[in-house]
Amino acid sequence: MPDARVTNTITGRDAFLRVLKDEGVSRMFGNPGTTELPIMHALSSAPEMGYVLGLQEAIVIAMADGYARASGKLVSCNVHVAPGLGNAIGSIYTSFMSGTPMIVTAGQQEQGHGLTEPLLYAPLVPIAQPVVKWATEVNRIEDLPRILRRAAKVATTEPTGPVFISLPGDILNNEAAIDMGEATRVDTAVRPSDAALDQLARRLLAAKKPVILAGHEIATSDAFAEATALAEALGAPVLQQTVAWGAHFPSEHPAYLGALNRDQKYVRRVLSDYDFMLCVGADLLKMSVWSETDPLPETTKVAMIGQRDWEMGKNFPAEIALRADVKETLKALVPLLKKLGGAALADRAKAAMAEIAPRNWSAQRAQRKAKLATPATTDKPLPAEWVMMRMSEKLPKDAIVVEEGLTSTTTLPSYFPFRDRNSFFGNVSGGIGWGIAAAVGVQIAEPKRRVVAVIGDGSAMYSITALWSAANQKLPVIFLITNNEGYQILKNRLKLFHGNDTPIGMDFNDPPMNITAIAQGFGVAAERVDTTAGFDAALDKALARTDGPTLLEVMVKKA
């Protein structure tokens, strides 16, 4: 046989990047190791694939999560073999809970070499499988494009979420003639049948006191306008779902009452005023700690619209459950309600909106602000609620807030208005350490808007090296770290649940942290403040700076 090369061959590493680009991926977030060197080698000749370096794998995933949630785009994450994938699992879990469309890859030892169980080796697919929609390993170079195409399709199909691919080194380094395939996208922007819509409309009209529960699919389906039209047509008040991990309804709309919390007794008391609740793309009363109280009153019946049928009837029965796109469904439902309800519905809605006005979000904010005392100039540390109010006043109208402050940010939703679907991002899973890294990805996705990350000191320490990535990318993120010198939420719950006011292992004051110095060590401009004048001046200075990140370490009272 003549020693001749096939001229249309391509290496696995180059095919990997080419298919990702064709699938619309323009950002790769990663932390490389030896098994990822083939991809890093290929990236040197593919500058269009913007690579963002994170200094630990959990940070890599969280940055990518923020980017994908803010941009709506498919994103690529490349982490390192078994220990690196292990580091990433907590963040992948968060992405799985939020339905973030991402392709997570990890380099694997060459096929055959893994049999010898070399350093860093473990089967990767079983590690990833519980926290992704699909996980697989490439065993033939010819299958690489097909697997990538399938992964992109699975990640972007509702309900969206992360997928995982293990990439053996020989697959990446080998060369073959490969069919690169083509992209597939599944259109899930569907509405229910006419009969189902008619049933839902008539049930809503029959309700004496309906309420709307707004969820994250209002944001992901870009349905702010349709959701407000629904509230106006019905004259129904709107509550945000119990886990407020996004901007799910415009806060300043007259129908908006605010977010439910995760106190079962409180939620039951609130919902007892309503005989019918329409859950629009929402998690139905997801809670945190156990309670003997059921949050849903027996007198409050439920209907649900959304893409995640697993959530429908999971814990509470739904009279009507429609698996459909929120935007398309509401576009059809609102005109039908108006047609069936006629002038009587319009009059009823007008009266209901007038009744809501004195107790809506805007009225609550004004009342709360009037009662909030301005700290004295010598008062230190600062009350967290005053910090949230003052920050909300000073931010530009198009600012984006990324929040993971737990106790110090409990009042933030009372002051910061959600004006569009990208104005707020919160942590969906409850696992801390997401926010400070996610803010980096959000700012990359939204370069023309100002991102402010409001993060607790405990959360910040889980992923503090994300500050370096923000400085490396020269992003104008403002990191507002509320420092109350401990895990305040645990101290509060220890006292509430167990009557114990002597916490162990929950304080950071021996020695005290100097988060300002840590940030400066990563090349971030930073300042510690503990007075009203200091906070105002520091925030003004941070907002004026646009050539890189700023960190404000705000000392707040323990509460």
Side-chain angles (χ1 to χ4, degrees), residues 305-357:
I305 304 167
Q307 296 279 12
R308 296 167 300 151
D309 59 318
W310 176 256
E311 297 298 325
M312 297 176 179
K314 182 176 74 174
N315 296 320
F316 306 100
E319 279 189 15
I320 300 171
L322 304 180
R323 182 178 178 180
D325 178 74
V326 164
K327 187 183 185 78
E328 293 301 315
T329 301
L330 297 186
K331 280 166 64 175
L333 178 63
V334 171
L336 181 59
L337 282 169
K338 291 180 178 179
K339 177 183 176 181
L340 294 175
L345 175 61
D347 291 342
R348 173 177 145 185
K350 183 177 180 181
M353 294 294 284
E355 187 276 329
I356 294 168

Side-chain angles (χ1 to χ4, degrees), residues 36 46 49 118 135 144 160 197 279 287 295 319 334 363 377 386 398-400 418 426 437 464 476 482-483 500 509 549:
E36 288 69 51
M49 182 65 71
L144 178 61
T160 56
L197 285 169
C279 301
M287 294 296 162
E319 279 189 15
V334 171
T377 55
W386 182 87
D398 67 344
I400 298 172
F418 305 156
I464 195 67
T482 54
N483 187 344
N500 186 336
N509 53 11

Side-chain angles (χ1 to χ4, degrees), residues 480-499:
L480 196 158
I481 311 298
T482 54
N483 187 344
N484 56 19
E485 300 187 318
Y487 293 129
Q488 191 62 44
I489 189 169
L490 294 182
K491 291 191 277 187
N492 291 351
R493 288 180 173 179
L494 183 68
K495 184 176 181 180
L496 177 64
F497 300 154
H498 300 281

